[in-house]
């Protein structure tokens, strides 16, 4: 049953690349798998044990990141503070830029939610 899950991922990857979609292949494959499970509930029941097994061992996907941290511990000890500041600062700037861009586009397109503005006391 793992082959079915990986098959949907492969189909999503091929479709995403072939059609030039701005959507990652695995995400498209997951959407297709969800649609297939809705249309054919027997498929959902067939892959349920495999999917549950994968989900129960999801923490294993964090092992490579942990190995990277251990492998570069000396570098992290020397440059860790600078890396932490850079990551937190860039995250804050990215969030602020995204919020600013959203508000500009909402104003330009006139799609601001008037009720939300009233709730915030801005209107």
């Amino acid at each position: 049953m793992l082959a079915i899950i990986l098959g949907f991922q492969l189909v999503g990857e091929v479709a995403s690349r072939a059609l030039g979609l701005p959507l990652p292949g695995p995400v498209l494959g997951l959407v297709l798998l969800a649609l297939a499970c809705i249309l054919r509930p027997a498929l959902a029941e067939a892959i349920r044990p495999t999917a549950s097994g994968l989900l129960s061992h999801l923490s294993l996907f964090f092992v490579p990141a942990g190995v990277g941290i251990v492998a570069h511990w000396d570098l992290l000890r020397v440059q860790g503070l600078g890396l932490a500041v850079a990551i937190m600062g860039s995250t804050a700037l990215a969030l602020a830029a995204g919020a600013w861009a959203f508000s500009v586009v909402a104003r330009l397109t006139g799609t601001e939610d008037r009720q939300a503005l009233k709730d915030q006391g801005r209107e």
Side-chain angles (χ1 to χ4, degrees):
M1 292 302 140
L2 183 60
I4 293 173
I5 296 171
L6 293 176
F8 273 95
Q9 181 179 355
L10 176 64
V11 168
E13 189 70 41
V14 169
S16 178
R17 289 181 186 218
L19 300 173
L21 299 175
L23 188 67
V27 172
L28 182 58
L30 180 63
V31 169
L32 293 173
L33 178 62
L35 289 173
C37 287
I38 290 170
L39 295 174
R40 303 219 10 137
L43 176 63
E45 290 304 317
I47 64 170
R48 184 179 308 274
T50 304
S52 295
L54 283 173
L55 289 174
S56 68
H57 294 93
L58 196 59
S59 62
L60 290 176
F61 292 113
F62 293 105
V63 169
V67 169
I69 289 171
V70 171
H72 298 287
W73 187 250
D74 293 334
L75 179 63
L76 284 172
R77 192 174 329 133
V78 174
Q79 302 292 331
L81 181 61
L83 286 170
V85 169
I87 290 170
M88 288 188 288
S90 64
T91 300
L93 287 174
L95 286 171
W100 175 78
F102 177 79
S103 65
V104 168
V105 170
R107 284 190 190 114
L108 290 176
T109 59
T111 57
E112 287 183 339
D113 185 359
R114 299 288 178 208
Q115 184 61 39
L117 292 175
K118 286 180 185 177
D119 292 343
Q120 295 175 0
R122 291 178 47 197
E123 186 177 87

